[in-house]
């Protein structure tokens, strides 16, 4: 592909990230490619994703140097500009980053030579009964969370608002949208609607809607299912619900999920990809939808999602399963399959190579 300009999103707390950023800048100088750091925080204020992308010169490739949190920052920025995003892995338990830090230069060479595939990841959009606002006194309540706080999202100018549809907010989520309690001693009470029908009214610590990408994040920690990132689905998971039914529900991408804060509920915080974006009062609601825009992530080879799942989650085999006989064989996705498992090959999608050679 033609790489005219690269935007860098760097984890400022990691020396290894700064060193990798220097390698990227050197590569850009050698190949005549523009390069700009992307940092939404300037002089104590915060610029929007659109403003920061414009300030960076509208890069067509965003490179993130850090873990999954850094990748999420870069994904928000890349989605605004419909740019590709390449994640360099400097994290500990991540699923989103693509290449090891030791091969940054080789990865950029591969992108320039078009030795890559583009993986489209589902994202989420949000509507609300009113504009989201963060109260002025929220700092003390949220001091235990990660900083800095992001500003409340703006309204999308390209989308109509009105009637029961609510206000279309100019925000996208790659991992999840979460409605959670503000006061530690009071759960949120929420009516949950799937495809316009009431599923149940919950009293819980939090209620979240995740993408398949986000199924291995907060949703997984709350007991939700692991979903292939290649799938399209909305995963609803309650967190510590005070009721017998505590299971996740996996909805189709055309089945939006509505969350209405009930009359006797405490206030509820709305977090998007782990960042506080607003507070809802009883009577307010949000609707979570599959976004029409998708994240375009660079892949330089077959993605071994399930191998990474086994490794990152430190999965072990049941003792009874391996006590007698030979354990199940392991093999990397880049090597031939055992003959007796050859029928498990996945067919290639149109325009791409097979995921399992």
């Amino acid at each position: 592909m033609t790489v005219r300009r690269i935007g860098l999103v760097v984890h400022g707390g990691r020396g290894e990230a700064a060193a990798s950023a220097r390698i990227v800048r050197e590569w850009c100088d050698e190949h005549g490619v523009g390069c700009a750091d992307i940092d939404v925080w300037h002089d104590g204020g915060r610029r929007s994703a659109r403003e920061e992308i414009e300030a960076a010169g509208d890069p067509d490739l965003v490179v993130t140097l850090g873990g999954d949190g850094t990748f999420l920052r870069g994904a928000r920025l890349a989605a605004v500009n419909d740019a590709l995003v390449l994640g360099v892995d400097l994290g500990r338990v991540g699923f989103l980053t693509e290449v090891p830090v030791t091969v940054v230069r080789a990865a950029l060479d591969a992108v320039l030579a078009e030795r890559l595939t583009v993986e489209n990841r589902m994202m989420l959009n949000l509507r609300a009964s009113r504009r989201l606002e963060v109260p002025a006194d929220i700092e003390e309540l949220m001091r235990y969370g990660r900083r800095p706080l992001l500003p409340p999202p703006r309204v999308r100018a390209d989308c109509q608002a009105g009637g029961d549809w609510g206000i279309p907010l100019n925000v996208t989520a790659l991992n999840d949208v979460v409605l959670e309690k503000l006061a530690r001693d009071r759960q949120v009470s929420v009516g949950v609607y799937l495809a316009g029908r009431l599923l149940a009214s919950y009293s819980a610590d939090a209620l979240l809607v995740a993408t398949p990408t986000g199924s291995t994040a907060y949703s997984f920690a709350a007991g939700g299912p692991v979903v292939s990132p290649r799938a399209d689905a909305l995963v609803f998971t309650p967190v510590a619900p005070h009721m017998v039914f505590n299971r996740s529900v996996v909805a189709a991408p055309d089945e939006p999920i509505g969350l209405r804060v009930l009359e006797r509920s405490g206030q509820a915080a709305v977090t998007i990809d782990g960042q506080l974006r607003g507070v809802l009062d009883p009577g307010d609601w949000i609707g979570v939808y599959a976004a029409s825009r998708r994240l375009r992530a660079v892949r330089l080879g077959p993605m071994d999602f399930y191998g990474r799942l086994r490794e990152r989650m430190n999965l072990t085999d049941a003792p009874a399963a391996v006590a007698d006989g030979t354990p199940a064989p392991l093999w990397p996705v880049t090597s031939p399959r055992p003959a007796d498992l050859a029928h498990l090959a996945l067919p290639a999608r149109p325009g791409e190579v097979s995921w399992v050679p």
Side-chain angles (χ1 to χ4, degrees):
M1 60 171 290
T2 302
V3 181
R4 297 180 300 273
R5 193 166 188 82
I6 288 176
L8 280 178
V9 180
V10 183
H11 190 303
R14 291 178 178 268
E16 199 173 12
S20 299
R22 288 192 291 271
I23 294 174
V24 175
R25 295 189 189 99
E26 291 171 359
W27 183 91
C28 288
D29 289 341
E30 294 169 6
H31 293 82
V33 174
C35 184
D37 286 339
I38 298 178
D39 184 3
V40 296
W41 293 95
H42 292 272
D43 302 323
R46 188 187 190 282
R47 297 197 292 205
S48 70
R50 179 70 263 173
E51 291 168 338
E52 183 58 28
I53 280 291
E54 291 174 352
D58 290 323
D60 43 24
L61 174 66
V62 174
V63 177
T64 71
L65 301 164
D68 278 5
T70 307
F71 185 90
L72 287 171
R73 286 177 53 205
R76 286 193 295 268
L77 296 159
V80 169
N81 205 46
D82 197 30
L84 296 177
V85 59
L86 172 66
V88 178
D89 187 13
L90 289 158
R92 292 180 293 274
V93 195
F95 282 87
L96 301 177
T97 49
E98 164 70 1
V99 299
V101 66
T102 54
V103 296
V104 173
R105 181 177 289 274
L108 293 173
D109 289 338
V111 171
L112 190 64
E114 299 187 3
R115 298 193 307 271
L116 79 162
T117 59
V118 177
E119 183 177 88
N120 292 304
R121 293 285 186 98
M122 177 181 167
M123 303 184 77
L124 301 175
N125 276 152
L126 188 66
R127 286 176 177 262
S129 55
R130 62 176 175 85
R131 296 190 65 161
L132 296 184
E133 298 178 352
V134 178
D137 60 351
I138 198 68
E139 284 281 346
E140 292 303 319
L141 289 172
M142 301 304 296
R143 190 171 294 279
Y144 59 86
R146 292 190 175 184
R147 295 165 61 89
L149 297 177
L150 293 174
R154 298 175 298 170
V155 174
R156 294 205 311 271
D158 62 337
C159 196
Q160 294 296 319
D164 294 335
W165 286 93
I167 299 172
L169 300 180
N170 186 24
V171 65
T172 55
L174 177 61
N175 265 359
D176 48 43
V177 175
V178 181
L179 198 61
E180 58 187 323
K181 66 180 185 181
L182 267 181
R184 290 184 178 271
D185 60 349
R186 190 173 185 182
Q187 291 185 310
V188 289
S189 297
V190 178
V192 177
Y193 298 80
L194 272 76
R197 299 298 298 272
L198 178 67
L199 174 67
S201 295
Y202 288 78
S203 181
D205 283 356
L207 302 143
L208 64 92
V209 181
T211 63
T213 295
S215 70
T216 50
Y218 189 5
S219 179
F220 175 84
V226 174
V227 182
S228 168
R230 299 177 64 194
D232 280 355
L234 282 73
V235 182
F236 164 73
T237 301
V239 181
H242 200 261
M243 59 192 298
V244 173
F245 185 74
N246 62 354
R247 303 302 178 88
S248 297
V249 178
V250 180
D254 60 351
E255 296 176 331
I257 298 176
L259 307 172
R260 180 183 291 276
V261 184
L262 301 180
E263 179 182 1
R264 296 188 180 277
S265 174
Q267 286 183 304
V270 180
T271 61
I272 300 169
D273 283 347
Q275 298 286 344
L276 174 71
R277 305 303 299 273
V279 173
L280 296 183
D281 296 314
D284 293 332
W285 60 263
I286 58 173
V288 185
Y289 303 78
S292 57
R293 178 177 293 172
R294 301 173 72 88
L295 180 70
R296 301 169 61 221
V298 172
R299 294 294 172 201
L300 303 179
M303 182 185 180
D304 186 11
F305 172 71
Y306 302 106
R308 185 174 293 189
L309 178 67
R310 179 182 175 90
E311 174 190 349
R312 295 297 172 93
M313 295 301 177
N314 198 23
L315 301 184
T316 56
D317 302 315
V322 297
D324 300 312
T326 303
L330 292 174
W331 73 93
V333 295
T334 54
S335 66
R337 292 174 303 280
D340 59 338
L341 296 179
H343 63 285
L344 294 179
L346 294 177
R349 293 179 179 178
E352 72 178 22
V353 298
S354 174
W355 286 73
V356 181

